[in-house]
Amino acid sequence: MKILYICTHNRCRSILSEAITNHHAQGIIEARSAGSQPAGEVHPLSLQYLQETGYAVDGLQSQSWDEFEDFAPDLVVTVCDSAAGETCPLWFGKSTKVHWGLADPSKLQGSDEQKKQAFLDCIEQIKTRVQALVEIARSQPDQKTLIEQLANLGAQ
């Protein structure tokens, strides 16, 4: 299964999701991330907290969803509220689409410790969803069941 995580700026939540998915779903799911209006760089705290929690950051980059026409994802997951309402390019038409809203830890105004906790909470939430996603992918459900299960994950 191939997944494309989308967030408007592709600098935090979608990047976290890509790294965490590729770590936990090696061989079962191939994840990438993109944005409709990419920032051009990954948020430094995204990289810092991924590394501190044991995830690889090599190759992570903020990029446009236009770069993924040839990727042909089976699943497109929007992870921020602004991306949920955006029109996906036509070539996403065959992809299953779900929304997994996540709070943006990079926008938190607070102490360094509060920011760290926000990133760690987001990473843990993604990890929990990805571990369930791996089990769903292994069971190879029909399209309707897949969409229901993925939507339920996004509500957690």
Side-chain angles (χ1 to χ4, degrees), residues 13-152:
R13 293 163 288 183
S14 52
I15 295 286
L16 297 174
S17 297
E18 175 185 355
I20 293 167
T21 301
N22 285 329
H23 178 86
H24 289 284
Q26 294 177 357
I28 297 168
I29 299 168
E30 178 185 357
R32 298 287 180 263
S33 66
S36 57
Q37 301 169 18
E41 64 182 18
V42 177
H43 193 284
L45 293 179
S46 296
L47 298 174
Q48 177 181 332
Y49 293 120
L50 280 170
Q51 286 180 312
E52 284 185 15
T53 52
Y55 296 101
V57 298
D58 298 339
L60 295 176
Q61 59 183 327
S62 176
Q63 54 198 331
S64 172
W65 60 17
D66 294 334
E67 304 294 319
F68 289 92
E69 188 168 358
D70 293 335
F71 182 60
D74 302 299
L75 176 63
V76 173
V77 180
T78 54
V79 293
C80 64
D81 293 335
S82 57
E86 291 183 6
T87 303
C88 288
L90 293 177
W91 52 266
F92 287 155
K94 295 179 182 178
S95 303
T96 299
K97 297 167 205 69
V98 295
H99 179 65
W100 289 357
L102 296 165
D104 188 349
S106 71
K107 291 188 177 178
L108 180 72
Q109 299 296 315
S111 69
D112 288 347
E113 189 56 40
Q114 289 170 318
K115 290 176 185 177
K116 178 179 181 176
Q117 192 57 54
F119 270 91
L120 295 179
D121 290 347
C122 188
I123 287 169
E124 187 60 33
Q125 186 176 18
I126 294 166
K127 177 183 165 188
T128 298
R129 289 178 183 181
V130 166
Q131 288 173 330
L133 176 62
V134 169
E135 294 307 313
I136 292 169
R138 281 188 177 131
S139 72
Q140 300 179 337
D142 61 63
Q143 187 73 6
K144 181 182 177 196
T145 303
L146 174 67
I147 292 168
E148 289 172 0
Q149 291 177 335
L150 293 170
N152 287 340

